[in-house]
């Protein structure tokens, strides 16, 4: 009985996809890539005393299904990672930090004019994990950081405005620029608090993670430049 129900469900989904031809959109978002490239300058802006090297990479992917002329739903996955190197004399000490975040989001879009311009609301889940390895001077005493890996989970909320530009009469190549803001509601101790609880307060070092967590990796203003195909 269960197998029959699954087969019926699969046929229903397939039939729905055929019936709603020209109402599917697959896109790849390079907005997180831009954020990844900007990790170094961003950290320099919020923690000017921490002068080191930074590199990052990010990417996003989304599938959108059009429910009607004015409404659609979408699922989105995004990844952002960065590596930071702090040389001797900054904290002082030498420290390597790897940060990785990913999010899984559900979106609802409203097209008030039924075509290009849209208003997007999101609800999702995100995770930020870090790994610290090196030697850092905290409170005047050298401490060996042995792969301490704090992490945190979040509920994500957000909204954005954007435009879906199709370069074909019946779909085809699509470009979607959009901008908005997202906010993460953290579960458990913040990355900053976990670092403070383990190593004590370290001025800009700990404070930098507050901004990295809340503005760069999980929340904050967001720019999306998505390219894809509508069919």
């Amino acid at each position: 009985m269960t197998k029959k129900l699954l087969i019926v469900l699969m046929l229903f989904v397939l039939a729905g996809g055929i019936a709603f031809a020209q109402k599917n959109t697959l896109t790849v978002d390079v907005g997180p890539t831009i954020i990844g490239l900007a990790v170094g300058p961003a950290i320099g802006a919020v923690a000017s005393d921490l002068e080191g090297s930074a590199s990052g990479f990010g990417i996003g992917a989304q599938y959108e299904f059009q429910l009607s002329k004015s409404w659609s739903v979408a699922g989105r996955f995004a990844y952002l990672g960065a590596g930071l190197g702090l040389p001797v004399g900054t904290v002082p000490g030498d420290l390597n930090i790897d940060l990785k975040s990913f999010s899984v989001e559900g979106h609802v879009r409203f097209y008030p004019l039924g075509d290009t311009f849209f208003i997007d609301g999101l609800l999702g889940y995100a995770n930020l994990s870090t790994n610290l390895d090196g030697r850092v001077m905290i409170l005047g005493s050298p401490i060996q950081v042995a792969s301490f890996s704090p992490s945190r989970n979040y509920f994500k909320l957000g909204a954005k405005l954007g435009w879906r530009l199709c370069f074909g009469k019946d779909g085809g190549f699509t470009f979607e620029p959009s901008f908005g803001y997202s906010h993460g509601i953290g579960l458990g101790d913040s990355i900053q608090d976990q670092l403070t609880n383990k190593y004590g307060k370290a001025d800009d070092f700990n404070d930098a993670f507050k901004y990295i967590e809340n503005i760069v990796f999980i929340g904050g203003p967001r720019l999306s430049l998505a390219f894809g195909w509508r069919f």
Side-chain angles (χ1 to χ4, degrees):
M1 184 65 180
T2 302
K3 291 183 178 180
K4 291 182 179 180
L5 289 175
L6 288 175
I7 292 173
V8 172
L9 179 60
M10 291 175 65
L11 291 174
F12 176 79
V13 172
L14 179 61
I18 296 173
F20 287 95
Q22 306 299 336
K23 296 187 178 181
N24 304 277
T25 307
L26 292 173
T27 55
V28 175
D29 183 13
V30 297
T33 307
I34 297 173
I35 295 176
L37 295 174
V39 164
I43 293 174
V46 300
S48 57
D49 292 339
L50 299 181
E51 299 176 357
S53 61
S55 61
F57 173 77
I59 198 72
Q62 178 174 287
Y63 167 72
E64 178 189 7
F65 179 74
Q66 200 78 26
L67 297 173
S68 67
K69 187 176 182 180
S70 299
W71 293 94
S72 72
V73 293
R76 184 176 187 272
F77 174 83
Y79 167 85
L80 178 61
L84 311 178
L86 304 179
V88 173
T90 54
V91 180
D94 58 272
L95 183 64
N96 295 315
I97 307 172
D98 291 318
L99 304 101
K100 297 178 181 178
S101 70
F102 71 88
S103 63
V104 180
E105 305 163 0
H107 291 251
V108 175
R109 285 186 175 184
F110 173 57
Y111 293 82
L113 303 179
D115 189 8
T116 302
F117 174 72
F118 63 81
I119 302 170
D120 184 304
L122 76 88
L123 176 65
Y125 162 82
N127 173 271
L128 173 62
S129 61
T130 64
N131 184 67
L132 292 83
D133 183 27
R135 190 173 183 83
V136 60
M137 184 80 73
I138 298 179
L139 300 179
S141 301
I143 296 178
Q144 183 70 32
V145 181
S147 296
F148 179 49
S149 301
S151 65
R152 195 183 193 194
N153 298 315
Y154 308 79
F155 288 118
K156 281 190 71 175
L157 303 170
K160 63 181 179 180
L161 305 175
W163 296 262
R164 184 176 63 194
L165 308 173
C166 297
F167 296 88
K169 183 178 180 181
D170 296 318
F173 178 74
T174 302
F175 173 53
E176 291 186 2
S178 64
F179 63 91
Y181 191 92
S182 63
H183 175 69
I185 302 174
L187 307 176
D189 291 339
S190 68
I191 301 296
Q192 178 195 20
D193 289 340
Q194 292 180 59
L195 289 170
T196 299
N197 292 338
K198 188 171 183 66
Y199 298 114
K201 181 68 174 174
D203 300 326
D204 280 350
F205 176 71
N206 293 78
D207 291 338
F209 275 88
K210 175 182 178 180
Y211 296 98
I212 291 172
E213 182 177 3
N214 296 326
I215 297 178
V216 179
F217 279 84
I218 301 300
R222 286 293 183 267
L223 170 68
S224 174
L225 297 173
F227 302 85
W229 195 262
R230 182 169 169 78
F231 56 95

